[in-house]
Amino acid sequence: MTKSLPIFILVFFSHFLVAQTGGIQPVPLKNVKTTQGFWHDRVELARAVTVPHALHQCEESGRFDNFAVAGGLKKGTFNGARFNDSDVFKVVEGASYVLQNQYDPKLDHYLDSLITLFAAAQEPDGYLYTIRTINKDTTGSYDWIAGPYRYSFENGSHELYNVGHLYEAAVAHYEATGKKTLLNVAIKNADHLVKTIGPKPGQMVVVPGHEETELALIRLYRVTGKKEYLDLSKFFIDMRGRSDKRTLFLDEHKLGPSYFQDQVPFVRQREAVGHAVRAQYLYTGVADLLTLRPDPKDQAAVNAIWDDATYQKQYVTGGMGAREDGEAFDKPYILPNDNAYAETCAAIANMFWNHKMYLLTGEAKYMDVFERVLYNGFLGGMGVKGNTFFYVNPMASDGKNDFNKGSGAVRHEWFGTACCPTNVSRFLPSMPAYMYATQGNALVINLFGDTKANITLPNTPVQVTQQTQYPWQGNIRIQVDPEKSGVFPLHIRIPGWANGQAIPGDLYSYEDKLAKPIDLTINGKKSEATIENGYLKLNRTWKKGDVIELVLDMPVRRVIANDKLKGNQGKVAIERGPVLYCAEGHDNGGKALAIKMSGTQEFAPTYQKEMLGGINVLKSKEQNITLIPYYAWANRGANEMTIWFGKE
């Protein structure tokens, strides 16, 4: 069906699908433009530095060459590891978001040349996995393995994981350019999967070892309308705990089925277990599928898993996955600081999951978690200049111990396993797409930043303009310009931190939970700010030029951990607004780990434009202590760092 449809019909059909699903819909990236300030600087950094850097690294490391060799365009051997195709697709996805933010003909042409390689590497029936095409069927070493036949070693092969990232790149590229070149490659592969895998006689029963395909198939469905893609996503979810395709990988690497979230059927799962990235990609796919196909049993499972992960297994940064062994969730309340794993990819997956949970339920708590991860766990994974990265993100460092994968004390330009840099390169330019949503006739603002957003409500198009110094200040100006005056609800998320709640649940809380009322004016007139379920809800007749002004009080807060977090007993962390702070040796006489806080310790914020890309610095009034945002540490060489401080 899709192959013969012209682009304008596909565009219309995709919009029709969105309209028919109801519920909450994100405002597309193309409709949200950053204008200045914190997020504009970082979207520009992605365009000018991060994405070009990742493209260059993929080229230098032979990742592009693998497609050329597989396609018979050049002679050679396979370079790298079996999952390297996914890195390429993620960077293409990020580059496509860059095009959506600001068109660049040179980048557009460059992507066209890469897509030619992808199409050449694809086998006639749609199969695409360069390591197998080049090396043929093999049971070689771990990094080279493809298995004796297609999908025979899916727990370790990454065949389905790689093409999941292909689908996401294809949708992003199609939405950016209107071209179907990459979309056709993705559709051809997805159609191959639909024919090959499933419950019908003669089909294979395969469970993805590294989840991603589940959520990517749903995204491909939203553009193509092919119901079979939803069916296959659901099949992959339902077959968990029922697969016999894991024996070889488990025997060789001593990993249990919970590592793959394959221990019991999904509907019986209640805990976040196993590899934290794989797990959260699965949970993201389940939540997204539920917006299209409600299922009480799946919803009960994903809700319980979210409670387990958020209330018992999440770092104060929003990081997930405490264990280096298996890059996995640990047991409840096991969250070590100096050897925390908290992979950057897991932080990004946590944001994906929470955003889909928000779209499913409309509950503000999910965007509260999203925001915590955004400003701390995610931004901490990239250097302030946009071309260095962390793989793991500890809560404390002695400045000497270079943690697993060479990323604990020193940031690196690239890794042999490059999932984190490529994940950063695809998320960062897409960030504006998470700021706004519509819910029926309501316009929803979930995140703050200088933007112009063009939003279509059922009765009128509306332009929304934000101006703010957030996250450094709590003053937010929102101008509402409907094409025609009319009544509609406008919902503004008031972050949990502004109401005295550090994070949903009781894993972390503020010593002082008191919060000042929100200061609200509309067109210069003071108004009552009533918060309902985390949202300031305004329902009135809006006309062009209406201005809402909010002031969120931003005191410096002392964070304490649940007593069950043994390593943080008697300690405090410091926050202001959504930003978590740390002490780094560079600012504190070379020492950070020994710093203690008195019970009356006070800090004053000062904005330093030329420091670490522009940050608020917290300086103590009583002691000579300087704190910087956690995300900005390790940009001035290796030195001590800590988030948690003992009490005097």
Side-chain angles (χ1 to χ4, degrees):
M1 176 186 104
T2 312
K3 294 179 181 178
S4 61
L5 283 177
I7 289 173
F8 77 90
I9 293 180
L10 263 180
V11 172
F12 171 81
F13 185 61
S14 63
H15 289 172
F16 174 79
L17 271 176
V18 169
Q20 294 304 302
T21 57
I24 306 169
Q25 302 298 334
V27 174
L29 178 61
K30 271 190 168 183
N31 291 17
V32 183
K33 301 298 180 186
T34 57
T35 55
Q36 61 180 0
F38 190 91
W39 285 111
H40 181 69
D41 292 347
R42 282 152 183 80
V43 168
E44 276 293 291
L45 192 68
R47 179 191 64 81
V49 178
T50 309
V51 170
H53 173 80
L55 287 168
H56 175 72
Q57 291 288 346
C58 283
E59 184 172 347
E60 289 292 303
S61 61
R63 282 166 167 80
F64 295 157
D65 285 343
N66 287 336
F67 292 92
V69 173
L73 302 178
K74 66 182 297 184
K75 293 183 178 180
T77 58
F78 182 84
N79 284 296
R82 63 205 179 283
F83 40 74
N84 279 9
D85 292 1
S86 69
D87 296 328
V88 173
F89 296 140
K90 280 186 284 185
V91 182
V92 169
E93 182 185 350
S96 298
Y97 296 137
V98 168
L99 290 178
Q100 292 187 46
N101 291 324
Q102 181 178 324
Y103 181 70
D104 179 346
K106 185 177 179 181
L107 180 59
D108 189 6
H109 179 72
Y110 186 78
L111 294 184
D112 286 342
S113 67
L114 293 180
I115 293 166
T116 299
L117 297 181
F118 305 157
Q122 187 167 38
E123 297 187 16
D125 65 353
Y127 183 80
L128 181 54
Y129 187 45
T130 61
I131 189 171
R132 177 182 295 285
T133 301
I134 294 170
N135 290 348
K136 310 305 178 187
D137 295 342
T138 176
T139 53
S141 70
Y142 176 60
D143 276 340
W144 289 79
I145 202 142
Y149 54 88
R150 289 178 178 181
Y151 310 113
S152 60
F153 196 56
E154 175 46 35
N155 279 148
S157 72
H158 288 69
E159 281 160 288
L160 295 174
Y161 171 74
N162 289 355
V163 297
H165 283 299
L166 163 65
Y167 303 166
E168 295 212 74
V171 172
H173 181 260
Y174 171 69
E175 291 173 341
T177 66
K179 301 175 187 176
K180 293 174 60 181
T181 46
L182 188 54
L183 188 65
N184 284 339
V185 174
I187 290 170
K188 187 176 181 180
N189 180 268
D191 289 347
H192 154 73
L193 293 187
V194 167
K195 292 176 183 176
T196 307
I197 300 170
K200 298 177 183 176
Q203 289 186 307
M204 299 177 68
V205 175
V206 176
V207 175
H210 194 313
E211 297 93 328
E212 158 66 18
T213 323
E214 296 86 345
L215 64 95
L217 282 164
I218 300 167
R219 191 168 179 189
L220 195 58
Y221 159 78
R222 292 185 189 276
V223 169
T224 65
K226 286 196 168 188
K227 173 181 171 293
E228 306 96 303
Y229 299 163
L230 288 186
D231 295 340
L232 184 56
S233 178
K234 181 68 166 131
F235 178 80
F236 284 146
I237 293 166
D238 287 347
M239 287 300 103
R240 297 201 163 269
R242 301 181 174 92
S243 171
D244 59 356
K245 300 297 182 183
R246 35 177 137 91
T247 305
L248 179 60
F249 193 81
L250 297 179
D251 287 350
E252 186 174 341
H253 300 285
K254 298 182 173 61
L255 297 170
S258 61
Y259 174 83
F260 310 102
Q261 300 72 51
D262 199 15
Q263 69 280 19
V264 294
F266 182 77
V267 294
R268 288 169 46 200
Q269 296 186 25
R270 292 295 183 271
E271 299 176 343
V273 297
H275 190 280
V277 181
R278 298 172 192 241
Q280 291 181 105
Y281 281 173
L282 170 65
Y283 310 149
T284 300
V286 171
D288 199 16
L289 187 61
L290 285 168
T291 65
L292 299 167
R293 291 184 177 179
D295 183 318
K297 291 182 179 180
D298 278 350
Q299 180 138 9
V302 78
N303 288 348
I305 294 167
W306 186 89
D307 289 351
D308 176 64
T310 305
Y311 299 157
Q312 302 183 113
K313 298 176 179 176
Q314 182 167 228
Y315 280 104
V316 69
T317 60
M320 288 288 197
R323 291 173 49 191
E324 176 185 343
D325 178 22
E327 302 182 320
F329 290 102
D330 212 320
K331 295 177 182 178
Y333 304 108
I334 305 298
L335 292 165
N337 291 320
D338 57 356
N339 61 342
Y341 201 75
E343 183 184 342
T344 298
C345 281
I348 294 171
N350 196 14
M351 289 190 291
F352 289 155
W353 181 19
N354 274 278
H355 188 246
K356 294 299 185 186
M357 292 295 285
Y358 160 72
L359 294 176
L360 175 64
T361 67
E363 294 186 43
K365 66 181 181 180
Y366 299 114
M367 292 308 298
D368 282 349
V369 175
F370 182 102
E371 185 179 60
R372 173 166 291 272
V373 182
L374 180 66
Y375 283 100
N376 303 293
F378 163 67
L379 280 181
M382 60 175 286
V384 295
K385 293 183 178 179
N387 59 358
T388 58
F389 308 90
F390 272 170
Y391 196 106
V392 300
N393 295 273
M395 307 297 114
S397 172
D398 61 8
K400 300 173 184 177
N401 179 20
D402 207 14
F403 292 91
N404 184 259
K405 300 184 185 295
S407 61
V410 179
R411 296 182 183 272
H412 292 254
E413 291 187 354
W414 198 247
F415 304 98
T417 299
C419 52
C420 294
T422 54
N423 232 348
V424 169
S425 73
R426 75 174 176 138
F427 180 84
L428 187 59
S430 76
M431 185 273 163
Y434 297 89
M435 298 182 74
Y436 298 90
T438 59
Q439 186 171 7
N441 194 40
L443 189 158
V444 186
I445 300 174
N446 276 312
L447 298 167
F448 303 122
D450 290 74
T451 50
K452 281 189 181 293
N454 293 303
I455 302 167
T456 301
L457 295 177
N459 295 326
T460 183
V462 182
Q463 184 175 85
V464 176
T465 304
Q466 280 197 59
Q467 293 174 295
T468 180
Q469 296 298 313
Y470 199 86
W472 310 126
Q473 300 296 335
N475 296 49
I476 301 146
R477 183 183 188 275
I478 301 167
Q479 182 167 321
V480 183
D481 291 305
E483 190 173 280
K484 60 181 182 181
S485 299
V487 177
F488 58 85
L490 194 154
H491 301 167
I492 303 170
R493 184 183 66 89
I494 303 302
W497 62 258
N499 285 320
Q501 183 185 45
I503 194 170
D506 64 355
L507 192 56
Y508 307 102
S509 58
Y510 294 136
E511 277 191 340
D512 180 357
K513 297 179 176 62
L514 297 177
K516 291 183 179 179
I518 306 302
D519 187 352
L520 168 68
T521 62
I522 300 177
N523 295 330
K525 295 181 180 179
K526 192 168 181 62
S527 300
E528 187 73 22
T530 303
I531 313 302
E532 181 183 336
N533 298 323
Y535 284 91
L536 171 62
K537 295 188 175 181
L538 306 173
N539 195 355
R540 65 194 299 274
T541 300
W542 300 97
K543 62 183 186 302
K544 285 186 179 181
D546 281 346
V547 173
I548 305 161
E549 291 181 287
L550 295 174
V551 180
L552 307 179
D553 186 39
M554 276 193 176
V556 176
R557 296 278 196 178
R558 293 162 66 99
V559 183
I560 55 175
N562 189 298
D563 287 342
K564 294 178 182 178
L565 281 178
K566 302 299 183 184
N568 292 333
Q569 285 187 358
K571 296 181 179 180
V572 296
I574 304 297
E575 289 184 0
R576 184 173 183 271
V579 178
L580 179 71
Y581 282 76
C582 71
E584 196 173 20
H586 190 280
D587 307 301
N588 296 281
K591 300 295 182 181
L593 296 173
I595 291 175
K596 293 187 177 182
M597 298 287 175
S598 70
T600 58
Q601 190 79 49
E602 293 185 13
F603 289 90
T606 305
Y607 185 70
Q608 302 285 344
K609 183 179 180 181
E610 304 303 322
M611 185 177 178
L612 295 168
I615 59 171
N616 259 4
V617 174
L618 299 184
K619 289 187 176 290
S620 69
K621 297 178 180 179
E622 297 83 5
Q623 302 179 53
N624 187 23
I625 299 173
T626 298
L627 305 183
I628 64 170
Y630 168 75
Y631 76 74
W633 86 281
N635 282 280
R636 300 171 292 181
N639 61 142
E640 289 188 8
M641 182 278 298
T642 189
I643 285 173
W644 291 100
F645 304 95
K647 296 180 183 180
E648 287 186 341

